């Protein structure tokens, strides 16, 4: 099947980024959120992002106007009725996602595909909660969506080859490079990345080196654009802790235990950039 219209549930950070990627790629998109303020904020973010591209001469004013015209922003979930795929990009909360999936199914036809942008919840579990598990897939974008070239496609146990092929094609049309992953806690990127950050926190907690030296070591020694402790501050230490706890519980393997200092800092309210203090002061 060919995907010509996309529904995006959520106008927040990930939702508006996915919406922008679709609109810029020439695909009509319906962006839904629960109230007018959230919808308007999402639209303003997209407009500002496209303005920066115009300023950098990566697109012109006409192209920006055409992209904005492809976006229908609404608070009415029924407006996704004509979409070929609906991408759920709501908060990482299982109960909320399960309720949304029921509402999405009620709004769309039997052939519509459903994808979730979850970064931690089991795709197999979400698929099983729908009446079309073969048409369900994980589509994990990375933040900021317009800039990041990767999309992880996560196949639940039930995902059909046809669903995977259609969504892989959509990923390429959005200018992304899709990688295909089996369903497992953290999928691939976070499964590798988060334990690395956690290990950097262990090293810092043991006093092996200063935060600056650990980050400098990984930037210069491994060619990372940002050090692991600065990245933890960017992601949010509470989010990091939640991910490590998902791994620890999901795999039952002590190698995924969260660093004691990570727990201690979250308890203190030192959450990184969003709280003004993490491994660095902001």
């Amino acid at each position: 099947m060919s995907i010509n219209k996309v529904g995006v549930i959520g106008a927040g950070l990930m939702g508006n980024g996915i919406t922008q990627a679709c609109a810029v790629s020439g695909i009509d998109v319906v962006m839904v959120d629960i109230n007018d303020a959230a919808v308007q904020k999402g639209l303003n973010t997209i407009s500002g992002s496209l303005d920066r591209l115009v300023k950098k001469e990566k697109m012109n004013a006409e192209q920006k106007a055409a992209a904005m015209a492809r976006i229908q922003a609404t608070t009415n979930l029924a407006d996704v009725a004509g979409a070929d795929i609906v991408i759920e990009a709501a908060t990482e909360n299982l109960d909320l996602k399960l309720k949304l999936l029921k509402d999405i199914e009620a709004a769309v036809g039997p052939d519509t595909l459903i994808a979730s942008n979850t970064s931690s919840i089991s795709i197999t579990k979400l698929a099983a909660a729908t009446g079309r598990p073969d048409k369900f897939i994980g589509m994990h974008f990375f933040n900021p969506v317009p800039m990041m070239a990767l999309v992880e496609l996560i196949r639940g146990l039930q995902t059909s080859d046809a669903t995977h092929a259609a969504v892989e094609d959509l990923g390429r049309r959005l200018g992304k490079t899709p990688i295909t992953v089996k369903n497992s806690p953290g999928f691939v990127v976070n499964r590798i990345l988060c334990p690395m950050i956690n290990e950097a926190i262990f090293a810092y907690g043991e006093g092996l080196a200063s935060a600056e030296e650990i980050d400098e070591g990984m930037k210069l020694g491994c060619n990372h654009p940002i050090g692991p402790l600065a990245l933890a501050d960017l992601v949010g230490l509470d989010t990091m802790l939640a991910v490590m706890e998902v791994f620890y519980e999901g795999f039952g393997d002590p190698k995924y235990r969260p660093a004691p200092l990570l727990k201690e800092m979250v308890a203190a309210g030192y959450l990184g950039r969003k709280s003004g203090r993490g491994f660095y002061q902001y």
Side-chain angles (χ1 to χ4, degrees), residues 203-276:
Y204 178 62
E206 289 164 21
L208 298 186
S210 69
E212 289 82 0
E213 286 166 325
I214 288 169
D215 280 353
E216 203 69 1
M218 291 304 288
K219 285 197 293 187
L220 301 181
C222 297
N223 210 17
H224 290 189
I226 183 172
L229 299 177
L231 183 55
D233 279 355
L234 184 63
V235 169
L237 270 58
D238 50 344
T239 304
M240 266 302 305
L241 179 57
V243 171
M244 291 312 297
E245 284 172 339
V246 164
F247 290 176
Y248 193 36
E249 188 185 330
F251 293 111
D253 187 331
K255 76 177 180 182
Y256 295 113
R257 71 199 184 286
L261 179 61
L262 176 60
K263 290 181 169 180
E264 189 79 355
M265 289 178 72
V266 170
Y270 301 162
L271 306 181
R273 288 191 182 217
K274 61 185 167 189
S275 71

Side-chain angles (χ1 to χ4, degrees), residues 9 11 19 23 69 94 116 132 146 155 167-168 190 195 206-207 213 218 223 245-246 259 262 271 282:
I9 311 301
T19 298
L94 178 61
S116 176
R132 59 188 83 196
R155 296 189 69 148
V167 176
E168 187 175 45
N190 284 338
E206 289 164 21
E213 286 166 325
M218 291 304 288
N223 210 17
E245 284 172 339
V246 164
L262 176 60
L271 306 181
Y282 298 93

Side-chain angles (χ1 to χ4, degrees), residues 147-187:
M147 309 294 295
M148 298 293 272
L150 182 69
V151 59
E152 275 184 313
L153 304 183
I154 302 98
R155 296 189 69 148
L157 210 52
Q158 318 92 318
T159 307
S160 72
D161 290 344
T163 296
H164 174 259
V167 176
E168 187 175 45
D169 177 61
L170 173 63
R172 292 191 201 286
R173 283 167 62 203
L174 297 182
K176 308 298 178 197
T177 300
I179 61 169
T180 300
V181 182
K182 286 181 185 170
N183 185 58
S184 177
F187 315 134

Side-chain angles (χ1 to χ4, degrees), residues 12-277:
L13 199 59
M14 299 304 286
N16 67 55
I18 296 166
T19 298
Q20 178 179 325
C22 291
V24 167
S25 303
I27 298 169
D28 291 333
V29 55
V30 181
M31 180 177 71
V32 186
D33 212 315
I34 49 173
N35 57 49
D36 289 328
V39 168
Q40 196 54 52
K41 188 179 177 188
L43 274 177
N44 292 346
T45 301
I46 295 167
S47 181
S49 176
L50 296 181
D51 282 340
R52 286 191 292 279
L53 292 176
V54 171
K55 195 178 267 185
K56 290 177 183 169
E57 298 184 353
K58 291 188 175 175
M59 68 164 39
N60 59 38
E62 290 75 26
Q63 288 168 321
K64 181 205 162 174
M68 292 301 293
R70 292 187 193 103
I71 302 169
Q72 179 190 351
T74 177
T75 56
N76 186 3
L77 188 60
D79 289 340
V80 301
D84 300 306
I85 185 171
V86 177
I87 303 169
E88 172 275 310
T91 316
E92 276 299 85
N93 176 305
L94 178 61
D95 293 336
L96 172 67
K97 288 190 189 292
L98 292 175
K99 182 193 178 304
L100 269 175
L101 292 179
K102 294 284 181 217
D103 293 344
I104 292 165
E105 278 204 289
V108 298
D111 296 328
T112 301
L113 306 181
I114 302 177
S116 176
N117 179 55
T118 180
S119 56
S120 66
I121 298 169
S122 165
I123 296 302
T124 296
K125 188 174 191 172
L126 292 175
T130 73
R132 59 188 83 196
D134 58 314
K135 295 185 173 69
F136 193 91
I137 195 167
M139 202 174 188
H140 180 213
F141 291 87
F142 289 78
N143 185 30
V145 178
M147 309 294 295
M148 298 293 272
L150 182 69
V151 59
E152 275 184 313
L153 304 183
I154 302 98
R155 296 189 69 148
L157 210 52
Q158 318 92 318
T159 307
S160 72
D161 290 344
T163 296
H164 174 259
V167 176
E168 187 175 45
D169 177 61
L170 173 63
R172 292 191 201 286
R173 283 167 62 203
L174 297 182
K176 308 298 178 197
T177 300
I179 61 169
T180 300
V181 182
K182 286 181 185 170
N183 185 58
S184 177
F187 315 134
V188 159
V189 175
N190 284 338
R191 165 96 176 256
I192 295 166
L193 176 67
C194 294
M196 183 202 77
I197 296 173
N198 193 50
E199 198 60 36
I201 299 169
F202 267 113
Y204 178 62
E206 289 164 21
L208 298 186
S210 69
E212 289 82 0
E213 286 166 325
I214 288 169
D215 280 353
E216 203 69 1
M218 291 304 288
K219 285 197 293 187
L220 301 181
C222 297
N223 210 17
H224 290 189
I226 183 172
L229 299 177
L231 183 55
D233 279 355
L234 184 63
V235 169
L237 270 58
D238 50 344
T239 304
M240 266 302 305
L241 179 57
V243 171
M244 291 312 297
E245 284 172 339
V246 164
F247 290 176
Y248 193 36
E249 188 185 330
F251 293 111
D253 187 331
K255 76 177 180 182
Y256 295 113
R257 71 199 184 286
L261 179 61
L262 176 60
K263 290 181 169 180
E264 189 79 355
M265 289 178 72
V266 170
Y270 301 162
L271 306 181
R273 288 191 182 217
K274 61 185 167 189
S275 71
R277 178 173 177 177

